[in-house]
Amino acid sequence: MAHLCHAAIALTAAGVLAGRKTAAYPALEPDLKTAGAEFVDSDAVIDGVMVSARAWPDHPAWMREFVRLLRETVPVAEREQTAA
């Protein structure tokens, strides 16, 4: 799962971020802490299968980590066999 900027608000409402490390728009830090998440002020934060970032300037690092995670989780050879 990848999320960016203010998407963390919806995830906190769903209870998904409690106990997890996450980045988000910096003004949301108090909301994330209240929801039980650990706010990390970084361009790409990985916690298990979740990759998060603060805002659009973080897109290069965020997408690089998300694609890396996808490749590790679903190797190309496995996807090719499933598609056949």
Side-chain angles (χ1 to χ4, degrees):
M1 175 176 69
H3 72 90
L4 177 76
C5 200
H6 282 75
I9 292 293
L11 297 175
T12 57
V16 175
L17 296 181
R20 308 215 50 181
K21 292 181 187 177
T22 189
Y25 195 74
L28 300 179
E29 182 176 1
D31 300 299
L32 294 171
K33 288 182 176 180
T34 299
E38 178 185 340
F39 174 77
V40 181
D41 190 5
S42 182
D43 60 358
V45 176
I46 300 110
D47 186 343
V49 295
M50 183 178 74
V51 181
S52 57
R54 298 168 294 206
W56 66 267
D58 297 336
H59 278 179
W62 177 61
M63 287 308 300
R64 185 173 35 256
E65 291 303 323
F66 185 56
V67 169
R68 182 189 59 75
L69 183 64
L70 288 175
R71 285 185 176 146
E72 288 175 2
T73 307
V74 184
V76 174
E78 183 178 323
R79 286 195 320 255
E80 289 172 356
Q81 290 174 357
T82 305

